[in-house]
Amino acid sequence: MRVKISVILLVLVIFVAACQGSAASKVTPTPTVDPGVQLTQTAAFQATQDQLATEQASQTVVAQQTADAQATLDAQATAQAQSTANAIATSTQRVLNSQATSTQVVVKRQTATAQANQQATAQAQPLYDLAEKLFAEGVISSSAGSYTPLKDFDNSWAQMNYYDYWPTDLYIEPFSRFILKADFRWDSGSDKANWDRSGCGFVFGWQENLHYLVYLALDGKVNLLRSRQGNLTWVAQQSYSGKLSIPRGQAQFVLAVDNAAINIYVNDELTAHANDILLKPGAIFTSMVSGTNKGFGTRCTMTNMGIWLLK
């Protein structure tokens, strides 16, 4: 009986001991951290944090640079836009100024043209009226024509008893029907000149080896001469009823030519008349005759000069 109990007790002791050994093997030991591993983990963590901080700082710098660049671009765009606006405004103002200047030029030209037309009309009217008068009197065959103003003439000639002539705007084309008008003013370098060989006038019907000279001598006579092959002959010589002033004076002179018919007027008076079948269409020149060699000789000034070209 005691043996059985002992056996049982022994078995119980063995079982209890086995249970205790099994429980002891299940106890989890307290973990111990390797200082080297812990340091490594701490440095890696710090490096990660530093990297994050660096990246954040880089992002901040990039963001600031981007903001600065955008601000610069915005400023440049604003400046460019302002410059473009200024350029457009300047260009527009230049266009407006140019248009205003062009308008002023056009107005000035129109004004000048109107004034020139008005002046030409005022100059042409006396010759038109004279053409109508001469036509009514039968002096010319028709009054229809056109007016051409001529430049003023002012010259002197100091070769006694000789004449000379100078080109006008009419020295190229030949003319056979016209009314030529001018206001003569004269002066003499001597108060004892040959007055019959001193005076102002025209050469007309000019052709090679043939032309006509007409002049108002200061003795009051109108002289009409023909030069043919260098030989001068008188065609007409008639006296003005008035008296001319010497050594200086003035008079209005008109030469009316209608083919062979030649009529000369002094101060609206028909002073000389001739018909010459040898007269042909020719050029027209201003002319003067000098009756003295003293000083400047004879001086002639012709103003308000114009011609009515008959059709």
Side-chain angles (χ1 to χ4, degrees):
M1 191 65 177
R2 287 181 180 179
V3 175
K4 290 181 180 181
I5 294 171
S6 297
V7 173
I8 291 171
L9 289 173
L10 181 62
V11 171
L12 289 173
V13 170
I14 293 170
F15 177 78
V16 170
C19 289
Q20 288 178 350
S22 177
S25 65
K26 289 183 180 180
V27 174
T28 302
T30 301
T32 59
V33 179
D34 188 345
V37 174
Q38 186 175 12
L39 288 176
T40 302
Q41 288 177 344
T42 302
F45 178 77
Q46 185 63 43
T48 301
Q49 295 298 318
D50 293 343
Q51 182 177 0
L52 289 176
T54 301
E55 290 178 355
Q56 185 174 4
S58 298
Q59 290 176 355
T60 302
V61 171
V62 170
Q64 184 62 44
Q65 290 176 343
T66 302
D68 292 343
Q70 186 62 45
T72 301
L73 291 176
D74 291 342
Q76 290 176 346
T78 301
Q80 185 174 3
Q82 185 62 44
S83 176
T84 302
N86 292 339
I88 293 174
T90 302
S91 177
T92 302
Q93 189 60 47
R94 286 177 180 172
V95 170
L96 293 176
N97 293 340
S98 175
Q99 291 176 344
T101 302
S102 298
T103 302
Q104 292 175 356
V105 170
V106 170
V107 170
K108 288 181 179 179
R109 286 179 179 172
Q110 291 176 343
T111 302
T113 301
Q115 291 175 347
N117 291 337
Q118 184 177 3
Q119 183 178 3
T121 301
Q123 292 175 342
Q125 191 64 46
L127 272 177
Y128 172 77
D129 294 340
L130 179 58
E132 290 289 307
K133 178 178 179 293
L134 297 182
F135 174 63
E137 294 174 353
V139 177
I140 55 178
S141 56
S142 69
S143 61
S146 61
Y147 173 75
T148 300
L150 300 178
K151 295 179 181 178
D152 292 346
F153 172 81
D154 187 359
N155 211 336
S156 60
W157 175 247
Q159 189 169 356
M160 188 166 61
N161 299 337
Y162 281 81
Y163 73 99
D164 202 354
Y165 49 94
W166 294 263
T168 67
D169 295 335
L170 310 168
Y171 76 97
I172 297 178
E173 297 295 330
F175 300 98
S176 61
R177 302 183 67 246
F178 60 87
I179 302 172
L180 179 59
K181 174 182 174 294
D183 291 338
F184 286 170
R185 298 180 66 91
W186 58 81
D187 195 2
S188 176
S190 172
D191 57 1
K192 296 180 180 180
N194 296 332
W195 304 122
D196 61 330
R197 303 298 174 92
S198 300
C200 311
F202 296 98
V203 164
F204 64 99
W206 187 94
Q207 297 181 352
E208 188 175 357
N209 297 322
L210 176 67
H211 66 263
Y212 290 77
L213 167 67
V214 59
Y215 72 97
L216 173 61
L218 302 188
D219 65 351
K221 290 184 175 66
V222 170
N223 295 273
L224 176 62
L225 301 95
R226 181 197 313 116
S227 175
R228 189 177 186 186
Q229 301 294 334
N231 298 317
L232 274 175
T233 56
W234 255 262
V235 178
Q237 185 183 62
Q238 298 174 357
S239 296
Y240 169 56
S241 63
K243 185 177 181 179
L244 302 180
S245 298
I246 52 175
R248 61 188 59 88
Q250 59 184 4
Q252 186 185 84
F253 189 86
V254 172
L255 169 64
V257 176
D258 191 352
N259 295 317
I262 306 169
N263 292 274
I264 302 104
Y265 296 79
V266 178
N267 294 332
D268 296 328
E269 176 189 299
L270 178 58
T271 304
H273 167 78
N275 280 280
D276 193 328
I277 61 175
L278 297 179
L279 178 60
K280 304 296 181 182
I284 299 174
F285 299 77
T286 54
S287 180
M288 72 174 73
V289 183
S290 180
T292 180
N293 293 332
K294 184 177 179 180
F296 57 80
T298 300
R299 175 176 291 118
C300 286
T301 302
M302 303 180 190
T303 57
N304 298 319
M305 189 159 50
I307 189 167
W308 188 263
L309 297 172
L310 297 169
K311 293 182 180 179

